[in-house]
Amino acid sequence: MTNELTEITVIGDDSTGIVAQFTSLLFERGINIEDIDQAVRDGLFRMTTTVDTSEMVCTEEKLREDLLELGDELDVDVQVRFPADRETQQIAVLVTKESHCLEALFEAWTNDELGADISVVIGNHDDLQPLAEQYGVPFHDVGDEKGTPDEEELLDLLAEYDADLIVLARYMRILSPNVVFRYEDRIINIHPSLLPAFPGARAYEQAVQEGVRIAGVTAHYVTTDLDQGPIITQRACDVRDDDTRADLKQRGQPLEADALLEAVRLHLNNDVSVHRGRTSLRDDADGYQPGLTRDAQRANPDRPVDGLGDALSEGGDGAEITTESDDD
């Protein structure tokens, strides 16, 4: 989604006619639909519509009013995000007990490297409240004694602080469709493995048990399918023969903070987009490290390449070589 487009999200119980009524309302106001996506999970309906409102025949205030009125009639929640709603985007950070990712975000924020504000930190435990208070950011604990979050309170807080982006900074709980659907492609999580390998809990331990030689971390958008959302950035590290889960975790935590921060920057700068479950970088998006470092890239061998020997044996006359490969 670019800065010039408006995003409309509709959430509610699944029923017939919702899509038709909202698209008709937009058509009647001269609004062109650029993209529309729908999903149903556990009886909950979500429709995200990206529209061009540059030539609409009503004001932004009138459109918002009409959409909310239709939402009330159909008993669904409606969110409208116009391009000019705010100059500075607001970030809500969700945490549990580990501090390294939150610290990296705070450091980038205080150094004016985000171009956005961290408006609130929300935890399912209160362990990181002192860190948030140190940076003057409100902290809210929405978890019970076992850390189970109250998602209705969470949603109220996200609305109260006008969250444009939700960052899961090692937040150790799965968000329900009721939350995810409302913030489609606006929730970024960091997972301690090179997804799609080792999803779910205890990813570092899985890597050690499987005997992999390379492990890593993945920052991705959150979907209703656990650890299967579109990948934004990844970082890798070696796994040594005698590594324990604790060793790999210690080596991985700085990578988690780095990959998460890079993914947040890409999102805030509108340099990454999602299409059919995959992300892509904008053509002029320079200066990012979505994967390997340049040193690691240079260390990778670039010879031999299939067919190169045949070309040389023919005297390098430029004859066309056709090969078959299992990758074709």
Side-chain angles (χ1 to χ4, degrees):
M1 185 183 69
T2 67
N3 282 334
E4 290 72 35
L5 298 178
T6 295
E7 185 179 275
I8 301 166
T9 302
V10 178
I11 304 286
D13 292 337
D14 187 27
S15 61
T16 59
I18 296 178
V19 175
Q21 295 195 57
F22 276 97
T23 54
S24 295
L25 185 152
L26 296 172
F27 175 77
E28 291 167 359
R29 286 151 184 78
I31 296 170
N32 185 52
I33 296 176
E34 300 287 340
D35 185 61
I36 185 168
D37 184 58
Q38 309 161 50
V40 177
R41 181 61 63 90
D42 300 332
L44 187 67
F45 169 83
R46 186 266 305 162
M47 179 179 71
T48 302
T49 308
T50 304
V51 302
D52 183 356
T53 53
S54 61
E55 298 183 4
M56 64 180 176
V57 295
C58 65
T59 64
E60 291 184 357
E61 291 76 14
K62 178 59 175 172
L63 177 60
R64 190 192 302 272
E65 178 184 324
D66 291 345
L67 287 168
L68 294 177
E69 183 178 329
L70 179 57
D72 289 341
E73 292 176 7
L74 300 177
D75 196 23
V76 295
D77 293 337
V78 180
Q79 299 175 356
V80 186
R81 301 177 70 236
F82 290 107
D85 274 349
R86 65 169 54 85
E87 294 181 359
T88 303
Q89 297 187 72
Q90 304 298 311
I91 303 172
V93 186
L94 272 58
V95 298
T96 296
K97 295 183 177 183
E98 296 181 24
S99 66
H100 54 289
C101 288
L102 179 60
E103 288 180 297
L105 290 165
F106 274 147
E107 182 176 351
W109 177 48
T110 55
N111 290 331
D112 295 324
E113 296 173 1
L114 291 182
D117 280 338
I118 299 176
S119 58
V120 65
V121 177
I122 304 172
N124 63 318
H125 292 281
D126 62 3
D127 297 57
L128 299 185
Q129 183 170 352
L131 181 59
E133 291 176 345
Q134 178 183 332
Y135 284 89
V137 176
F139 182 95
H140 296 268
D141 179 7
V142 299
D144 61 16
E145 64 277 1
K146 296 181 179 180
T148 303
D150 182 335
E151 284 203 343
E152 290 304 319
E153 183 180 356
L154 171 61
L155 285 171
D156 288 343
L157 288 168
L158 294 174
E160 177 183 343
Y161 286 94
D162 260 348
D164 295 292
L165 174 66
I166 302 169
V167 179
L168 308 187
R170 298 299 285 143
Y171 179 69
M172 306 302 288
R173 282 294 185 273
I174 298 173
L175 297 175
S176 77
N178 196 32
V179 177
V180 175
F181 276 175
R182 285 173 163 79
Y183 295 91
E184 192 82 4
D185 296 336
R186 292 195 285 142
I187 307 175
I188 297 177
N189 181 47
I190 185 68
H191 182 75
S193 81
L194 292 174
L195 292 174
F198 313 134
R202 305 185 73 83
Y204 288 129
E205 183 173 317
Q206 293 182 64
V208 171
Q209 289 177 346
E210 292 297 327
V212 299
R213 290 301 187 182
I214 296 176
V217 304
T218 303
H220 64 97
Y221 285 112
V222 173
T223 66
T224 53
D225 297 312
L226 179 63
D227 295 331
Q228 296 182 44
I231 291 170
I232 309 172
T233 58
Q234 293 185 301
R235 299 288 186 271
C237 63
D238 285 336
V239 182
R240 300 161 188 163
D241 289 347
D242 58 350
D243 271 341
T244 64
R245 174 179 177 271
D247 294 330
L248 197 55
K249 181 176 180 179
Q250 183 176 18
R251 203 172 307 134
Q253 283 186 341
L255 301 180
E256 293 172 17
D258 189 59
L260 180 62
L261 184 57
E262 189 81 319
V264 168
R265 290 177 57 232
L266 279 160
H267 176 92
L268 292 173
N269 293 334
N270 291 308
D271 283 334
V272 64
S273 60
V274 180
H275 181 64
R276 294 184 177 178
R278 296 185 61 180
T279 60
S280 60
L281 298 187
R282 199 172 63 186
D283 290 342
D284 59 348
D286 298 322
Y288 296 105
Q289 184 194 334
L292 291 176
T293 63
R294 289 185 176 87
D295 287 342
Q297 293 172 12
R298 284 192 290 267
N300 282 334
D302 62 1
R303 293 292 186 274
V305 177
D306 186 51
L308 182 60
D310 293 337
L312 294 175
S313 67
E314 294 177 8
D317 58 1
E320 182 179 351
I321 298 174
T322 303
T323 61
E324 293 183 359
S325 169
D326 291 338
D327 293 330
D328 289 341

